[in-house]
Amino acid sequence: LTVVFTGEGAPAGNYGYTSSGYSVYEEENDRLTESLRTKVSAIKSLSIEIGTEVKNQNKMLSEMENDFDSTGGLLGATMGRLRTLSRGSQTKLLCYMMLFSLFVFFVIYWIIKLR
C-alpha cells in the first residue's frame, strides 16, 4: 500500500479527512477528551463528597469518644460505691441483691406477659 501525500501533509484522496483540515481522528479525540473531562469532574465531585463524609464521621467518632469517657467515669464512680457497699454488712448486701434480682424477675415476667 502506497500513500501519496499532498502539500499540506494530508494523504491524497478521501481517507477520512474533512475539507477544513481536521481529521475524523481529531474529532474522535476531542469527543473522547470531553468524555474524559466529564468523568474526571464526576470523580472529583465524588472525592469531595467522600472527604465531607469522612469529616462528619470523624466528628461523630470524637463525640462518641467523649460520651464513652463520661460513661466510663460514671461507671467508675458506681463501682466505687459498690465497693463501699460491699465493705459494709454482708447480710445487708445480700438482701439488696436478692431484692434487686426479684424486681428484675418481675419486670421481665410482666414484659413477657404483656406480649
Side-chain angles (χ1 to χ4, degrees), residues 10-11 15-30:
Y15 288 89
Y17 281 79
T18 61
S19 62
S20 66
Y22 286 103
S23 71
V24 172
Y25 298 116
E26 288 176 353
E27 291 173 8
E28 180 71 13
N29 280 343
D30 290 342

Side-chain angles (χ1 to χ4, degrees), residues 32 45 53 59-60 74:
L32 290 173
S45 65
E53 184 65 25
K59 181 180 175 186
M60 282 196 288
L74 181 64

Side-chain angles (χ1 to χ4, degrees), residues 43-110:
I43 290 173
K44 178 183 176 184
S45 65
L46 183 63
S47 66
I48 289 172
E49 289 176 15
I50 288 172
T52 303
E53 184 65 25
V54 166
K55 286 178 187 176
N56 289 338
Q57 293 293 328
N58 283 339
K59 181 180 175 186
M60 282 196 288
L61 282 173
S62 176
E63 290 172 0
M64 280 179 55
E65 182 180 1
N66 292 338
D67 290 343
F68 281 132
D69 285 343
S70 65
T71 304
L74 181 64
L75 187 59
T78 303
M79 291 302 291
R81 287 188 205 122
L82 253 171
R83 270 189 233 108
T84 303
L85 182 63
S86 68
R87 289 183 191 139
S89 169
Q90 295 296 327
T91 309
K92 198 176 191 182
L93 176 64
L94 184 59
C95 182
Y96 284 144
M97 293 299 278
M98 289 185 72
L99 284 175
F100 178 74
S101 300
L102 192 61
F103 173 74
V104 169
F105 173 75
F106 280 123
V107 168
I108 291 173
Y109 175 75
W110 181 68

